[in-house]
């Protein structure tokens, strides 16, 4: 894939004039993923998926690695930005590339905690007719593959799905010997509820190890399947966006 940071201003200008329709912004997090997975799990996955497609009509922008992760702050190594800061920063990156004529984007996201802020950034860009950005999580279009591979779907963290993805992308970064420990201290599901009230605000409120789910269920082979499904879906999404006239993506007039 064409990576913006490897172009020169001259070659980027030529690419923008000659067929680049869509910019992809990988977004992730640097946050605890339990004892067995690296802090960079989310941005590594988003970046790999973004760079894993092969199209002439798109360019991949530099990864935004730090995201909305304050709910993991009790665990060493977690970094975070306030949601408003993240929203503004990603929105301004999108506006920059739009000023060069690439007004259609995908926020290729690897961290669920970023989703609300990305949605708000996309809504503002569209409302102001600056750009059209489609927020997209790499795991949101798996077509049932997660249930097929893991027997369940749902929101996990440092779980079998993330373990599989890291095992496929950067196997040396999975601390295999610590997967059992991660699982022993994991929560079964995200959050904590008392009589219907969601009282789990931070991961530390409901998970001892920081994981949610079953980390030992991950394999590199499952990660390869996830990666192929995700890149196939991103490729199709970019193809769809590339075909849309920008005006067709702007808000409808009042009726
Ligand atoms: Zn993650």
């Amino acid at each position: 894939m064409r990576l913006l940071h490897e172009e020169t201003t001259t070659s980027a200008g030529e690419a923008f004039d000659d067929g680049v329709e869509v910019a992809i912004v990988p977004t992730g997090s640097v946050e605890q993923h339990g004892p067995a997975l690296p802090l960079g799990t989310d941005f590594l996955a988003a970046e790999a998926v973004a760079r894993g497609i092969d199209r002439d009509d798109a360019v991949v922008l530099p990864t935004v690695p730090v995201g909305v992760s304050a709910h993991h702050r009790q665990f060493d190594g977690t970094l975070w930005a306030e949601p408003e800061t993240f929203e503004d920063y990603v929105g301004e990156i999108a506006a920059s590339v739009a000023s060069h004529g690439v007004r259609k984007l995908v926020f290729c996201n690897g961290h669920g905690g970023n989703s609300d802020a990305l949605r708000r950034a996309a809504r503002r860009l569209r409302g102001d007719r600056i750009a059209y950005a489609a927020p997209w999580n790499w795991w949101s279009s798996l077509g049932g593959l997660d249930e097929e591979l893991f027997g369940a779907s749902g929101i996990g963290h440092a779980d079998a799905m993330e373990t599989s993805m890291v095992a496929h992308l950067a196997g040396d970064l999975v601390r295999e010997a610590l997967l059992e420990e991660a699982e022993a201290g994991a929560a079964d599901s995200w959050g904590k509820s008392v009589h219907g009230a969601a009282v789990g605000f931070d991961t530390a409120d409901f998970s001892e190890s920081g994981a949610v789910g079953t980390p030992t269920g991950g394999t590199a082979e499952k990660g390869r399947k996830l990666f192929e499904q995700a890149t196939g879906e991103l490729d199709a999404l970019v193809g769809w966006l590339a075909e849309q006239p920008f005006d067709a993506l702007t808000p409808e007039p009042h009726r």
Side-chain angles (χ1 to χ4, degrees), residues 29 31-33 41-42 110-111 156-158 162:
S29 74
E31 69 182 25
Q32 71 84 14
H33 276 75
T41 291
D42 293 350
H111 172 51
H157 182 70
E162 290 200 299

Side-chain angles (χ1 to χ4, degrees), residues 18-241:
D18 187 29
V20 168
E21 290 281 330
V22 179
I24 303 168
V25 187
T27 57
S29 74
V30 176
E31 69 182 25
Q32 71 84 14
H33 276 75
L37 297 185
L39 294 160
T41 291
D42 293 350
F43 87 74
L44 290 170
E47 182 175 272
V49 170
R51 296 181 182 185
I53 64 172
D54 184 19
R55 302 186 63 96
D56 293 333
D57 56 3
V59 61
V60 178
L61 269 49
T63 303
V64 178
V66 176
V68 181
S69 299
H71 53 293
H72 291 290
R73 69 189 182 283
Q74 291 90 345
F75 291 86
D76 283 320
T78 298
L79 308 178
W80 65 91
E82 290 302 320
E84 297 77 13
T85 308
F86 179 79
E87 174 188 339
D88 286 349
Y89 187 53
V90 174
E92 287 164 19
I93 292 168
S96 321
V97 76
S99 81
H100 305 307
V102 183
R103 303 175 75 186
K104 295 178 281 188
L105 295 96
V106 175
F107 295 148
C108 176
N109 182 44
H111 172 51
N114 294 342
S115 293
D116 289 351
L118 290 173
R119 186 107 200 127
R120 290 196 302 274
R123 178 176 278 276
R124 276 166 62 186
L125 290 162
R126 182 177 188 242
D128 295 341
R129 290 184 156 72
I130 293 171
Y132 182 87
W136 180 81
N137 297 331
W138 70 256
W139 63 87
S140 290
S141 191
L142 294 176
L145 180 63
D146 47 348
E147 289 187 35
E148 185 187 313
L149 295 177
F150 308 114
S153 63
I155 307 171
H157 182 70
D159 57 357
M161 192 157 82
E162 290 200 299
T163 302
S164 297
M165 199 63 159
V166 180
H168 171 62
L169 298 174
D172 291 351
L173 297 182
V174 179
R175 279 68 167 181
E176 299 267 355
L178 297 176
L179 284 168
E180 292 280 359
E181 179 185 327
E183 190 152 315
D188 293 335
S189 60
W190 188 266
K192 181 179 172 185
S193 155
V194 175
H195 298 299
V199 296
F201 293 94
D202 296 331
T203 315
D205 294 334
F206 51 84
S207 174
E208 189 62 37
S209 70
V212 178
T214 53
T216 63
T219 69
E221 174 59 13
K222 291 176 183 176
R224 184 185 63 77
K225 290 179 178 169
L226 290 168
F227 181 79
E228 286 178 2
Q229 172 74 17
T231 50
E233 286 295 305
L234 177 61
D235 183 69
L237 173 61
V238 172
W240 174 81
L241 260 184

